[in-house]
Amino acid sequence: MRTLIRNAQCVLPDGVQQVDVLIEDAKIIGIDPPANAAADETVDASGLHLIPGVIDDQVHFREPGLEHKEDLHTGSLACAKGGVTTFLEMPNTRPPTITPEALEDKLARAASRSVVNYGFYIGATPDNVETLRSVTRTPGIKIFIGSSTGNLLVDEQEALERIFAETTLPVCAHCEDEATVRANSERIGGGSTHADHSKIRDHEAALIATRRAIDLAVRHNHRFHVLHVSTAGEVEFLKDHHGLITAEACPHHLLFNIDDYERLGSLVQMNPSIKTREDNEALWQGLLDGRLQVIATDHAPHTLEEKQQPYPQSPSGLPAVENSLALMLNAVHEGRCTLENVVAWMCDAPARVWDIVNKGRIAEGYDADLVLVDLAKQATIRNGEQVTKSGWSPWDGVALTGWPVRTWVMGQTVFADGRVDASVRGQEARYEHDRGGYWNTSHV
């Protein structure tokens, strides 16, 4: 099957150009092919932009164990609608992904259910270093340095030292200092309003844990990725750690702050918590100057009934994969960043941070994971139109300019004309972890 995409403004590694793109089966085989190139389907993309498929390196799709919130199929449908062609899923399911058998189970589930490409982290525990040393079909190791339960919480120094010293896979971590969180909670009596969440999980809790994890990475010369940076202090600290260290921001930390609790309550209750307007601005600046390299969602859905419980019974997390690209395209419309910035943060950088082969760019020989976006399209996010199983968005009622209108996964159309093709199946992401990571991989 050959598909020729004509007349789009294409975001290529060296800039935006109006060129035709030729797809054959799962691969991009031509950039600006000959005018007489044969194709089974020709797509006239005049007035649209073609970008690489988004890679969301931090999602929680709840399968197995909590499928009433989300599952691999419904989460992948939301990805396809939102222009996300590859997701990397976190290990805190039930049971957690902390053994080779649990990892293989998830991969098998996704192979039969996911309409987009997929990968799964292996979770660290205080005593599974041998497993972390032996697994291969994974982007990397996830450590919960705070904000977890059971054996996924790793905050004892000896266990952390072993993980960083004795493993070779890239490591990422949820960084909130558990001792600080507990002390803050005790000081205010556990909290009684959703706004108290940001007082309990405060700036200091995030910065202490991020400093601790980066110290481990630097001392052990171990590649490390800081998930969901939420504070100006972390952004400032990251300026001196280019090399082994990469980091990311999430849309909710960029676009929400503590002023939004009065309006949205538990809908913006997250771990790490949302912070201040000044932190919003610092995160944007960190992305623009390169201290933060990636935007990911931390898609963590719960039912509305669960979220509407009083604090502190209300769970933390929100759904975002369905709207993350549109939110960033709207930021382009508002002049906060360029489309090239969005592609760098959401497509190219995640592929290089996690050593994902042949993804993240529009280039010959790369996988045909592609998204047509209409930068002029105006639409409003509505709870009733969400594909995610949770069925709501904290951005309900927000009008955005700039939306994905067609998504290809490995050369197959999975989203077009407002509908997702649930029959498409994505593929397991492939990794080459000996490439050396983000800073040792060419931008071109």
Side-chain angles (χ1 to χ4, degrees):
M1 173 71 179
R2 278 191 167 198
T3 302
L4 181 62
I5 304 169
R6 287 197 180 278
N7 303 320
Q9 295 291 325
C10 298
V11 183
L12 304 175
D14 56 354
V16 179
Q17 300 179 46
Q18 183 172 314
V19 293
D20 298 340
V21 175
L22 184 62
I23 303 168
E24 184 171 67
D25 299 326
K27 295 290 184 182
I28 299 169
I29 64 167
I31 305 295
D32 201 20
N36 61 354
D40 301 292
E41 178 189 15
T42 299
V43 177
D44 183 3
S46 299
L48 304 177
H49 285 72
L50 186 68
I51 69 171
V54 170
I55 299 170
D56 192 333
D57 78 0
Q58 189 185 182
V59 306
H60 301 265
F61 283 168
R62 308 302 193 194
E63 183 179 349
L66 295 167
E67 289 92 340
H68 71 282
K69 302 173 189 281
E70 190 79 278
D71 58 53
L72 290 170
H73 183 62
T74 59
S76 73
L77 295 176
C79 284
K81 180 183 173 187
V84 177
T85 57
T86 301
F87 66 80
L88 303 181
E89 207 256 358
M90 290 297 170
N92 56 329
T93 44
R94 299 181 181 175
T97 317
I98 58 176
T99 66
E101 294 76 18
L103 178 60
E104 293 295 327
D105 175 65
K106 275 192 177 178
L107 288 166
R109 290 170 183 260
S112 65
R113 301 177 194 180
S114 179
V115 304
V116 300
N117 307 310
Y118 50 87
F120 300 94
Y121 295 94
I122 189 78
T125 74
D127 53 12
N128 74 337
V129 170
E130 292 303 320
T131 292
L132 303 180
R133 291 170 60 181
S134 64
V135 294
T136 56
R137 294 172 65 185
T138 180
I141 298 165
K142 169 66 179 291
I143 308 176
F144 288 88
I145 307 177
S147 186
S148 191
T149 58
N151 60 356
L152 275 175
L153 176 61
V154 185
D155 63 352
E156 293 296 328
Q157 190 68 22
E158 182 180 356
L160 290 168
E161 295 282 356
R162 286 199 66 197
I163 293 167
F164 278 89
E166 299 179 25
T167 67
T168 59
L169 286 170
V171 171
C172 62
H174 180 121
C175 295
E176 287 184 291
D177 183 64
E178 198 71 11
T180 302
V181 170
R182 290 171 184 162
N184 289 340
S185 182
E186 290 174 9
R187 189 181 68 253
I188 66 171
S192 59
T193 71
H194 295 106
D196 286 337
H197 192 68
S198 291
K199 300 173 185 175
I200 293 169
R201 297 184 174 275
D202 65 1
H203 291 74
E204 201 65 17
L207 184 55
I208 288 171
T210 296
R211 283 174 169 165
R212 181 186 187 190
I214 289 177
D215 172 70
L216 284 158
V218 171
R219 284 192 291 104
H220 293 291
N221 195 36
H222 200 122
R223 285 171 55 192
F224 179 64
H225 185 68
V226 187
L227 298 171
H228 43 45
V229 173
S230 63
T231 70
E234 291 169 286
V235 176
E236 178 66 19
F237 185 67
L238 284 162
K239 74 178 182 181
D240 297 324
H241 291 92
H242 283 199
L244 291 168
I245 312 302
T246 51
E248 71 187 40
C250 297
H252 48 270
H253 291 130
L254 291 165
L255 301 172
F256 292 129
N257 56 64
I258 57 175
D259 297 338
D260 293 301
Y261 279 123
E262 183 176 359
R263 179 172 58 93
L264 295 169
S266 64
L267 299 187
V268 291
Q269 179 188 326
M270 289 294 306
N271 299 339
S273 67
I274 56 174
K275 303 299 193 302
T276 68
R277 190 179 300 274
E278 289 74 25
D279 293 295
N280 294 151
E281 293 306 315
L283 293 173
W284 277 109
Q285 188 57 48
L287 286 164
L288 291 167
D289 67 23
R291 284 176 280 178
L292 308 179
Q293 297 80 31
V294 174
I295 290 178
T297 63
D298 195 12
H299 177 91
H302 304 280
T303 68
L304 265 179
E305 182 181 12
E306 291 167 336
K307 288 291 283 185
Q308 288 169 348
Q309 296 177 88
Y311 190 81
Q313 287 76 37
S314 50
S316 295
L318 56 80
V321 292
E322 198 160 336
N323 302 302
S324 58
L325 176 58
L327 288 165
M328 292 304 107
L329 295 178
N330 189 68
V332 173
H333 172 72
E334 293 177 340
R336 273 204 166 269
C337 57
T338 67
L339 183 59
E340 294 96 317
N341 290 148
V342 172
V343 168
W345 299 331
M346 301 185 78
C347 311
D348 187 43
R352 294 190 291 120
V353 167
W354 300 108
D355 303 325
I356 304 175
V357 177
N358 291 337
K359 294 191 185 298
R361 299 177 182 180
I362 300 176
E364 290 185 9
Y366 272 58
D367 294 337
D369 298 335
L370 299 166
V371 184
L372 273 178
V373 299
D374 184 346
L375 295 182
K377 180 179 178 179
Q378 297 179 327
T380 299
I381 298 173
R382 302 289 186 194
N383 281 352
E385 299 171 0
Q386 299 302 289
V387 175
T388 176
K389 186 181 282 190
S390 60
W392 63 276
S393 168
W395 289 281
D396 177 52
V398 174
L400 304 177
T401 299
W403 286 85
V405 295
R406 183 164 179 173
T407 307
W408 287 267
V409 170
M410 302 299 286
Q412 301 177 82
T413 298
V414 69
F415 173 73
D417 302 319
R419 296 187 298 274
V420 178
D421 185 346
S423 69
V424 172
R425 289 295 172 264
Q427 296 184 15
E428 177 184 350
R430 295 182 299 113
Y431 318 98
E432 288 183 357
H433 286 309
D434 58 354
R435 293 195 303 178
Y438 182 88
W439 299 108
N440 294 320
T441 305
S442 168
H443 284 261
V444 179

